Amino acid sequence: MAYTLVTRRLLPGSLDPLSGHDLVVNDSDRPLSHDELRERIRGANALICLPGDNVDASVIEAGSALSIIATVSVGFDHIDLSAATQSGIPVCHTPDVLDEATADLTLGLIIAASRRMGEAERDLRALTWQGWAVDQYLGLELNGSTLGIVGFGRIGKAVAKRAFGFGMQVVHHSRHPSGEPGYFADLDQMLAVSDVVSLHVPLTEQTRHLIDARRLALMKNTAVLVNTSRGPVVDEEALAEALAAGELKHGTLALVEEGVPVIALATQKSLAEKTLSNIMEVKARGARVIGISQADDDHLVGQVETLIRIPPVPDLLTPALSVLPLQLLAYYAAVARGTDVDRPRNLAKSVTVE
């Protein structure tokens, strides 16, 4: 029987595959503090965590019995991958299943910001709407406008597919040439021609504050910026200043930096009320959709049940592969069952199950 620590409550039934193990679940929606996480992970064989949990080197050191770290998310910037790799602990996440749901949210934010829906709804709710006027809530027509996508992976491509349906011209920038029409090698040039900019990059040292004051100044002053990637990809203080100065029309964000809303930053800086009306922030995970959310949780937990029986292998991961997508987890599960399967090409070492 393995001791599994779950840092936050999941959807009903998600933990059923682990019912035969010793489960310790934080049943509240309050994240564990760093000290609480470090204390509770002692003796744990598996950790199931979420974004917001700081699984750093000290937590991993305290979890010396860990065989697996699993995060119910696509992103894994909250986990110290170097420390996990050095300890021989596989780290897994849940890509793919979230792509379409996140693309839906992105397009919803693009429409809401472009047509000033948030501003109009706030006025109506506050009972400050005085009736129709010819120049009221004038917005951007998506048909014929240019969408610039930063990061042209699975989610970026899913957003592009939806944007085409609205008659938008789609251009994109990525680290490597995509070989597809609309590719810009120079991010600055793409920002300058885009009416809407949508961000879909992971958070790394290279992408932290990728959109800073300098790049915000390159964008059209009528542009809409949408961020459904990690909050710190945007320098949000610079964003608040740009909105106040009229250098940018609207900013919409699904994730905020260090938990501090841009609206709060604008308020702290005593920026104009106009700044507040031009910001839309969504306090929700873009992938939390009925059906998708359950699949997200179930896929991860189902694999953890098998992987906690596999002893740590110090050389399991190469420096280039520090986090495991579900296809590799499926391979491990098959090996654990004794099934003869082909090893995935990007798995450097074979796995021996005792």
Side-chain angles (χ1 to χ4, degrees), residues 18 43 53 60 92 98 105 112 119 128 137 158 222 278 283 306 344:
L18 296 176
D53 296 320
I60 292 171
C92 60
L98 314 179
L105 175 66
E119 184 181 350
T128 57
Y137 307 124
T222 56
N278 288 357
K283 303 300 178 288
T306 297

Side-chain angles (χ1 to χ4, degrees), residues 20 27 72 104 167 190 199 214 238 247 258 276 342 352:
D27 279 327
V72 188
D104 287 347
M190 191 202 76
L199 307 178
R214 183 187 71 80
E247 296 172 359
E258 307 301 338
L276 301 182
D342 293 331
T352 302

Side-chain angles (χ1 to χ4, degrees), residues 186-208:
D186 189 311
L187 174 58
D188 290 357
Q189 291 181 3
M190 191 202 76
L191 293 176
V193 302
S194 299
D195 298 301
V196 179
V197 175
S198 188
L199 307 178
H200 304 282
V201 295
L203 178 61
T204 66
E205 287 306 309
Q206 291 70 39
T207 62
R208 182 177 293 273

Side-chain angles (χ1 to χ4, degrees), residues 113-128:
S114 299
R115 299 306 300 272
R116 300 174 66 178
M117 290 181 180
E119 184 181 350
E121 193 275 342
R122 284 193 293 272
D123 286 349
L124 188 63
R125 189 179 294 274
L127 304 180
T128 57

Side-chain angles (χ1 to χ4, degrees), residues 134-155:
V134 69
D135 60 349
Q136 192 176 62
Y137 307 124
L138 293 178
L140 169 70
E141 183 177 3
L142 296 188
N143 182 49
S145 64
T146 298
L147 169 63
I149 297 176
V150 183
F152 207 56
R154 299 183 310 272
I155 295 174

